[in-house]
Amino acid sequence: MNLVRLLLTLALTLSTHLYAAPYEPQQVVYHINYGDQGRISEAMNNMANHIQALGEANVDIKAVIHGKAIEYFIDANSDQAKQITLDSLRLSDVQFIICGNTLDGYKITHSDLYEVEEEDVVKAGLPEIVHLQQQGYIYVRP
């Protein structure tokens, strides 16, 4: 019986160590430009899980939003679930960067989007992604 207990304790200890390895601080740019609302929701969940795994102090996440993904921010004006998702991520210091070219294409301004300020808008999304990569951000496209 003691041998079984010892083996069980050893197995639990080893399995705990498999997941206990700390991560180095990370800078990440999430690229979101698709119209599938389910896929966007999954990307938002990915960001929340990323923060949970590393801790807010150890991860800097920027999400570049362009193309059809802008519709998520339009819809959030009247969709409380999307508002909660965006607010929660912003409270965890996720920065949403909005493509100005997309706003022009949709003939809207930042004020037509949920809680987007003028300083959140860049001229073009793709050059911004490259700029962030040049600053050391790791590219992720969920």
Side-chain angles (χ1 to χ4, degrees), residues 81-100:
K82 289 177 181 170
Q83 291 174 10
I84 290 169
T85 297
L86 292 170
D87 291 344
S88 296
L89 289 169
R90 285 180 174 128
L91 284 173
S92 295
D93 293 327
V94 171
Q95 180 185 6
F96 293 99
I97 300 171
I98 307 299
C99 174

Side-chain angles (χ1 to χ4, degrees), residues 29-31 62-66 95-101 119-135 137 139:
V29 55
Y30 278 74
H31 180 190
K62 299 188 185 308
V64 176
I65 309 298
H66 67 108
Q95 180 185 6
F96 293 99
I97 300 171
I98 307 299
C99 174
N101 287 337
E119 58 267 12
D120 298 325
V121 179
V122 296
K123 174 64 181 147
L126 290 175
E128 182 66 16
I129 290 170
V130 172
H131 173 71
L132 291 167
Q133 288 178 297
Q134 289 170 330
Q135 293 179 13
Y137 282 77
Y139 176 85

